[in-house]
Amino acid sequence: MGEGSLILYLGQIIFYEEKNFQGRSYECMSDCSDMTSYLSRCQSCRVESGCFMVYDRTNYMGSQYYMKRGEYSDYQSMLGMRDCIRSCRMIPMHRGQFRMKIYERENFGGQSHEMMDDCDNIMDRYRMNDCQSCNVMDGHWLMYEQPQYRGKQMYMRPGEYRSFRDMGMSGMRFMSMRRIMDSCN
């Protein structure tokens, strides 16, 4: 596999200090838990390949935003972000089935449902008015605080998530879920 192929496989995002791709830049091809050591601020970015979650706090904390290939000349106004990007996580391309079990309460309690496809409203589909924990068995997912894939987002990769509150999502209710199926090149 040539070096060019490897870059497309890994993903590439370039962050710029100023809007419209101006000022100093930082190129990233993997996860970065703290961008402040590379740039004092970030006001635009360009996703050359891959898909990324960006966060407004270091160590993958705070508000999360999904970015796929494209140009974000003023992402704060485009995405409604109040702060600069402080960390980012590359989302690996998943091939195969998607499976996630959602639970009404923390610690896998209450009503539960196994999902294999997108759900635009858990209240309409499952008669659940809340989702406080989940187990992602296969694939990568985005959870949204409002129906129809709107509002704040949370990236879920395979693993057990016993309490969204303990993950810093206190007071949030997740009402819709979507599989991340975008092509990562």
Side-chain angles (χ1 to χ4, degrees):
M1 178 183 295
E3 188 175 322
S5 300
L6 184 61
I7 289 172
L8 287 176
Y9 175 72
L10 291 176
Q12 179 182 25
I13 187 168
I14 304 167
F15 299 99
Y16 299 86
E17 280 188 328
E18 305 296 333
K19 294 177 182 175
N20 298 312
F21 319 110
Q22 301 296 309
R24 290 182 40 216
S25 65
Y26 170 64
E27 187 176 316
C28 185
M29 293 187 285
S30 62
D31 297 353
C32 179
S33 63
D34 186 358
M35 288 182 32
T36 58
S37 56
Y38 304 106
L39 297 175
S40 59
R41 68 178 179 272
C42 172
Q43 298 203 7
S44 60
C45 66
R46 181 178 285 130
V47 179
E48 297 288 341
S49 60
C51 303
F52 290 82
M53 283 308 284
V54 297
Y55 304 80
D56 65 3
R57 292 178 37 206
T58 59
N59 298 312
Y60 319 112
M61 301 296 287
S63 296
Q64 307 179 21
Y65 302 88
Y66 175 69
M67 292 186 159
K68 58 185 178 180
R69 186 176 183 160
E71 294 188 342
Y72 302 84
S73 60
D74 180 9
Y75 69 81
Q76 287 175 305
S77 63
M78 291 169 74
L79 301 175
M81 279 183 88
R82 285 183 232 128
D83 292 315
C84 293
I85 296 171
R86 302 277 186 232
S87 57
C88 73
R89 178 165 273 157
M90 189 197 70
I91 301 171
M93 182 66 184
H94 175 75
R95 300 195 192 285
Q97 70 176 352
F98 287 77
R99 284 188 329 137
M100 173 170 63
K101 193 164 191 175
I102 59 173
Y103 298 84
E104 188 175 30
R105 295 198 301 264
E106 293 181 338
N107 295 310
F108 313 122
Q111 189 181 160
S112 69
H113 294 279
E114 187 167 309
M115 300 174 51
M116 296 181 76
D117 59 359
D118 300 348
C119 177
D120 63 358
N121 189 327
I122 63 169
M123 183 64 185
D124 289 351
R125 184 180 292 178
Y126 302 120
R127 300 290 175 239
M128 284 177 72
N129 63 2
D130 208 350
C131 174
Q132 291 295 315
S133 58
C134 73
N135 180 9
V136 177
M137 285 87 73
D138 295 301
H140 298 259
W141 299 73
L142 283 178
M143 298 180 81
Y144 296 82
E145 94 182 304
Q146 298 172 16
Q148 306 301 322
Y149 318 114
R150 292 189 324 247
K152 290 187 178 179
Q153 305 170 5
M154 185 164 64
Y155 167 52
M156 310 300 285
R157 53 191 185 172
E160 292 186 346
Y161 300 89
R162 294 184 169 279
S163 171
F164 298 151
R165 183 175 42 87
D166 291 348
M167 295 170 59
M169 298 294 172
S170 184
M172 281 191 60
R173 298 170 60 193
F174 291 101
M175 301 303 295
S176 55
M177 294 85 186
R178 173 180 278 165
R179 299 163 295 163
I180 299 176
M181 299 179 64
D182 291 307
S183 174
C184 288
N185 55 25

